């Protein structure tokens, strides 16, 4: 804990004073434009990757960047999605997976009993079952390729899951929301984004307008 406390002291003495006006404005309100759903993995920091200051992103983090389909007993993820879309009126939702994801590695490579010592984790990862089934139906040249494919399939699956949420469906129907599926590579710092037209991942650096849903009419025309 010593390094964390020392970090806070440095923030309080150095970083906070430089942003005093920002924090004063944020003290009673927030107006993020993007809901960013990512894995809890310590190597992925949404604000760092997107270079956003406090107040810029509304963030949900959990094992595997999972969004359960909407159901009769919504949990914390569902409540946070609903709040972001209905109350904060975000205009974009990003679901971001990442390379070397432990959750996706467990799904892609482990046997049926390898999660017995972590039953809560095993149960949670069942929300990625549709991605697992698709991934298992494919041939993979190596374990690493199987995991990389699972990471991408999971992003696609979670995009479909979030579309079952009433707040998301309404916002999409009213054309005031866009969905984005990203995969962040830890080693290179690159991001691949899901193209809703081709259902393939392309470099975000060279395809900055790409999105997963709704599909852009311009993109279809091209």
């Amino acid at each position: 804990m010593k390094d964390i406390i020392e970090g806070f002291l440095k923030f309080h003495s150095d970083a906070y004073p430089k942003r005093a006006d920002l924090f004063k404005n944020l003290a009673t309100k927030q107006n993020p434009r993007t809901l960013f759903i990512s894995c809890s993995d310590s190597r992925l920091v949404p604000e760092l990757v997107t270079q956003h200051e406090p107040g810029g992103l509304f963030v949900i983090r959990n094992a595997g960047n999972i969004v359960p389909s909407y159901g009769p007993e919504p949990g914390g993820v569902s409540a946070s999605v609903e709040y972001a879309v209905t109350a904060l009126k975000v205009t974009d939702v990003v679901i971001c997976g990442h390379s070397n994801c432990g959750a996706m590695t467990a799904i892609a490579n482990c046997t049926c009993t390898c999660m017995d010592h972590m039953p809560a984790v095993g149960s949670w990862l069942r929300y990625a079952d549709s991605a697992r089934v698709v991934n298992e139906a494919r041939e993979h040249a190596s374990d690493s390729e199987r995991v990389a494919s699972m990471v991408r399939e999971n992003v696609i699956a979670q995009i479909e899951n979030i579309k079952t949420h009433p707040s998301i469906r309404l916002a999409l129907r009213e054309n005031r929301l866009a969905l984005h599926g990203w995969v962040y590579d830890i080693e290179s710092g690159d991001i691949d984004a899901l193209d809703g037209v081709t259902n393939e991942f392309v470099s975000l650096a060279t395809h900055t307008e790409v999105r997963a849903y709704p599909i852009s009419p311009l993109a279809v025309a091209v």
Side-chain angles (χ1 to χ4, degrees):
M1 279 296 295
K2 182 179 178 182
D3 58 330
I4 293 178
I5 295 172
E6 289 176 346
F8 159 69
L9 294 175
K10 184 176 180 180
F11 162 78
H12 195 263
S13 63
D14 298 341
Y16 180 86
K18 295 176 183 177
R19 297 170 174 81
D21 289 342
L22 171 63
F23 286 113
K24 182 178 180 179
N25 290 330
L26 291 174
T28 58
K29 61 184 178 182
Q30 62 171 320
N31 188 37
R33 308 317 305 147
T34 300
L35 167 59
F36 200 101
I37 302 171
S38 72
C39 186
S40 298
D41 195 294
S42 62
R43 298 167 294 177
L44 171 56
V45 182
E47 292 84 357
L48 178 63
V49 171
T50 63
Q51 290 293 279
H52 268 63
E53 291 279 13
L57 299 176
F58 191 79
V59 178
I60 299 172
R61 301 186 69 173
N62 61 56
N65 44 274
I66 283 171
V67 182
S69 297
Y70 193 82
E73 296 182 6
V77 173
S78 298
S80 297
V81 168
E82 184 175 81
Y83 181 77
V85 176
T86 303
L88 298 178
K89 298 190 182 303
V90 297
T91 58
D92 294 272
V93 176
V94 177
I95 297 180
C96 185
H98 66 91
S99 62
N100 193 239
C101 178
M104 295 305 108
T105 298
I107 295 172
N109 289 339
C110 78
T111 65
C112 60
T113 60
C114 73
M115 298 297 291
D116 284 355
H117 65 303
M118 292 189 289
V121 175
S123 177
W124 174 252
L125 295 182
R126 292 299 302 272
Y127 289 115
D129 273 358
S130 62
R132 176 184 57 79
V133 169
V134 171
N135 203 50
E136 287 179 349
R138 294 177 173 167
E139 295 292 331
H140 305 283
S142 64
D143 285 348
S144 62
E145 286 192 16
R146 182 182 297 108
V147 173
S149 176
M150 183 65 208
V151 168
R152 283 162 169 72
E153 286 300 332
N154 182 56
V155 169
I156 295 172
Q158 303 314 318
I159 289 286
E160 294 302 312
N161 283 354
I162 202 171
K163 285 159 63 177
T164 67
H165 290 238
S167 59
I168 295 287
R169 286 180 56 84
L170 177 60
L172 291 173
R173 180 63 63 90
E174 294 178 346
N175 198 31
R176 55 182 172 85
L177 185 72
L179 306 180
H180 309 265
W182 291 2
V183 173
Y184 168 67
D185 184 78
I186 295 170
E187 183 174 1
S188 69
D190 293 332
I191 290 176
D192 287 340
L194 178 62
D195 184 341
V197 177
T198 63
N199 215 36
E200 299 291 335
F201 284 85
V202 297
S203 170
L204 183 62
T206 55
H207 298 79
T208 57
E209 299 300 320
V210 73
R211 59 189 182 183
Y213 191 89
I215 297 172
S216 168
L218 179 60
V220 173
V222 172

